[in-house]
Amino acid sequence: QDDFQMLQFSQFNQIIDNLDNLFIGKAFKPDALGLFMRAKSTKMIPEKIFSGVISTTAFAMLSKIDYNSEDFKNKHLKFFELGFYFITPIAFFISLTSNEITVGLYGEKWTIAGEYMKLISFTMIPFFLANIFNQTIICFGDSKLYLKMNVFKRILLVLTIPIGIKYGLITYLISFVGATIMGLLIDIIFTSKKLKIPIMNYIKIGLPPLTISLILYYTNYILKQNYVQI
């Protein structure tokens, strides 16, 4: 039964992953879909590579540990810490240099795709960290919780579509990023309850890399703007 549920969720997941493409293609001009897909596919190149590595590594290590032990909790938190310190500066860097990346790879006509990627690059953080939570719950052996967490997150993404219809593409992208951040909170809440880890532990781990990345981001942004003006 669990395998059948996982198969159903995988199919559901595939539909949701392509729903934004369908929505943008129907609701906006045809060129908007091409620009969005270019931004999305470019952002997903490093995301898929890094996600594959962290998923394999986390599962390999956590599956060898008794899930009721303190060592399991500590290893889970260590993966979360390493993952946060790793992916956060990368996401901010890609956002900061999104125009240069898209123009460098595809040419001047894809400049607007760079503007879209500037926003959606921040989804790399929750999507990457989700792999750690997913592998933790899988190693714990709770497939129902895994399905519940991920279905809730996918529903949040679907709810951003009406926002896009009413307020436009940029607002949709901002709300999409917000939904993925809320999805990360869902991961933290459910996993912390399952493993009996205080939520504050995750906050304490996440604040330093987030703060450092924000400071570096805005410092570089200001310097970049001043350089352009000069």
Side-chain angles (χ1 to χ4, degrees), residues 123-143:
T123 64
M124 290 179 67
I125 299 171
F127 284 158
F128 176 81
L129 295 175
N131 292 285
I132 297 170
F133 289 100
N134 286 339
Q135 296 307 316
T136 299
I137 297 303
I138 289 171
C139 290
F140 204 94
D142 195 337
S143 60

Side-chain angles (χ1 to χ4, degrees), residues 18 22 119 137 170 206:
N18 292 297
L22 179 63
L119 294 171
I137 297 303
I170 296 299

Side-chain angles (χ1 to χ4, degrees), residues 147-159:
L147 290 170
K148 185 187 294 186
M149 285 166 47
N150 284 281
V151 167
F152 281 166
K153 289 189 292 182
R154 292 301 176 180
I155 290 172
L156 283 176
L157 297 181
V158 171
L159 292 176

